[in-house]
């Protein structure tokens, strides 16, 4: 019983830590209840993704035996990236479409992180309980690689989702909504393809590729986070002058000197009548 609890905590704590991290970065934090709700919905997106991945496997788009680069790509795309990011995107849209708390650019990152980490937590639970006696090794590797990967995929989704939500241009909004799905799919597919190839002869090179990819995604996330904070700064912190303030007096026009009187006719003697 104690070991079961330990394995469960080892699976979910890395995801919770990253949620707390992005929550602490928010200058105007979201209600905790909303974060918990998004996290739980994210966990539900894990079994939801099976509704896409299982039919694709039955149709022969991929097999579970990743041998070679092509097969690694197929299982990474059709078996993981496409169904999982579709499920997360659907849950994020379902949660935010009428959410009155989604009123800042940065909120997109926070709620996307909760959804992504909910997914990662449940996936981690399954992997660790399936790891048997090696659950500690599996847990350490996933805490350092897979969970941060899901977090960074979610940051791409949340970034573009926020840009789309607050855009007033229909063309830009459509482009950003598309990128909010395509960008995490591409990043997720690249990560999994490299991870599957890390078991081969040149495994160390592909593993190094995974590390480099995560570093690049983290730097991208840092830039995106800064950009969204600046958007919110101009929306909320740069305020107009307060109302009901007495305006400054208008400048007085310079005093004009009287013109000299050049009409001397009134001093001339009048004719006698």
């Amino acid at each position: 019983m104690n070991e079961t609890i330990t394995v469960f905590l080892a699976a979910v704590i890395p995801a919770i830590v990253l949620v707390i991290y992005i929550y602490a970065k928010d200058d105007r934090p979201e209600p905790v209840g909303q974060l918990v709700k998004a996290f739980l919905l994210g966990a539900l997106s894990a079994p939801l993704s099976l509704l896409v991945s299982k039919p694709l496997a039955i149709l022969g788009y991929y097999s579970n035996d990743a041998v070679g680069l092509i097969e690694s790509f197929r299982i990474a795309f059709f078996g993981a990236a496409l169904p999982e990011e579709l499920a997360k995107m659907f849950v994020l849209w379902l949660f935010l479409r009428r959410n009155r708390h989604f009123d800042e650019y940065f909120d997109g990152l926070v709620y996307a992180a909760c959804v992504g980490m909910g997914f990662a937590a449940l996936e981690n639970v399954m992997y660790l309980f399936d790891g048997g006696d090696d659950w500690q090794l599996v847990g350490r590797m996933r805490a350092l690689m897979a969970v941060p990967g899901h977090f960074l995929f979610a940051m791409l989704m949340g970034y573009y989702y926020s840009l789309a939500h607050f855009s007033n241009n229909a063309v830009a909004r459509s482009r950003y909504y598309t990128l909010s799905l395509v960008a995490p799919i591409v990043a997720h597919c690249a990560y999994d393809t490299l991870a599957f190839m890390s078991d081969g002869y040149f495994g160390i090179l592909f593993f190094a590729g995974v590390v480099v990819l995560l570093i690049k995604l983290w730097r991208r996330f840092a830039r995106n986070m800064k950009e969204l904070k600046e958007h919110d700064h101009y929306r909320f912190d740069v305020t107009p002058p307060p109302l009901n303030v007495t305006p400054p007096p208008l400048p007085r026009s310079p005093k004009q000197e009287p013109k000299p009187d050049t009409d001397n006719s009134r001093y001339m003697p009048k004719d006698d009548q």
Side-chain angles (χ1 to χ4, degrees):
M1 184 65 178
N2 290 335
E3 185 178 1
T4 301
I5 296 176
T6 302
V7 174
F8 179 81
L9 292 177
V12 300
I13 284 177
I16 294 175
V17 167
L18 288 172
V19 170
I20 294 174
Y21 169 80
I22 194 67
Y23 176 79
K25 293 290 185 179
D26 194 353
D27 296 330
R28 287 166 286 271
E30 300 304 294
V32 175
Q34 293 292 306
L35 306 184
V36 173
K37 184 177 178 180
F39 188 90
L40 294 177
L41 286 174
L44 291 178
S45 69
L48 185 64
S49 68
L50 299 177
L51 299 177
V52 179
S53 62
K54 291 300 183 182
L56 290 176
I58 294 173
L59 293 173
Y61 282 92
Y62 73 95
S63 66
N64 290 323
D65 298 324
V67 179
L69 181 61
I70 301 300
E71 286 301 318
S72 295
F73 170 79
R74 291 177 63 182
I75 190 174
F77 183 78
F78 295 109
L82 180 64
E84 291 178 9
E85 300 306 325
L86 270 174
K88 290 185 229 175
M89 181 67 173
F90 174 73
V91 166
L92 184 66
W93 169 80
L94 194 67
F95 179 73
L96 292 180
R97 63 193 181 104
R98 294 180 181 175
N99 194 322
R100 62 184 178 86
H101 297 287
F102 185 26
D103 56 357
E104 299 172 309
Y105 282 87
F106 199 84
D107 295 348
L109 295 182
V110 174
Y111 289 123
C114 291
V115 170
M117 291 300 92
F119 182 99
L122 183 58
E123 186 183 64
N124 234 20
V125 168
M126 294 187 293
Y127 269 98
L128 264 65
F129 278 105
D130 192 47
D133 295 336
D134 295 329
W135 69 266
Q136 294 185 14
L137 176 62
V138 174
R140 283 193 292 268
M141 289 299 298
R142 291 189 60 81
L144 294 174
M145 306 294 290
V147 176
H150 279 291
F151 175 80
L152 294 170
F153 308 151
M155 292 300 93
L156 288 173
M157 182 179 292
Y159 169 73
Y160 287 115
Y161 197 96
S162 280
L163 293 181
H165 180 78
F166 292 103
S167 176
N168 295 322
N169 184 288
V171 176
R173 188 183 309 117
S174 177
R175 182 173 69 252
Y176 288 137
Y177 274 132
T178 302
L179 286 171
S180 68
L181 179 61
V182 172
I185 287 177
V186 171
H188 193 158
C189 182
Y191 174 93
D192 278 0
T193 301
L194 292 170
F196 294 148
M197 290 296 294
S198 64
D199 293 333
Y201 291 108
F202 301 99
I204 188 65
L205 297 178
F206 288 101
F207 181 79
V210 173
V211 175
V212 171
L213 176 63
L214 290 178
I215 292 173
K216 287 184 174 295
L217 288 175
W218 188 272
R219 290 176 176 174
R220 174 69 181 273
F221 155 62
R223 293 196 301 268
N224 292 347
M225 179 171 60
K226 181 180 178 181
E227 178 186 335
L228 296 190
K229 278 179 172 286
E230 290 175 352
H231 281 308
D232 287 331
H233 169 71
Y234 286 115
R235 292 182 71 235
F236 293 97
D237 297 337
V238 180
T239 56
L243 300 177
N244 300 324
V245 175
T246 304
L250 296 174
R252 299 178 62 181
S253 59
K255 186 177 180 180
Q256 296 182 354
E257 297 293 335
K259 294 182 179 180
D261 187 1
T262 58
D263 185 10
N264 297 323
S265 61
R266 64 177 179 275
Y267 299 111
M268 300 295 290
K270 295 181 179 181
D271 295 337
D272 294 335
Q273 296 185 0

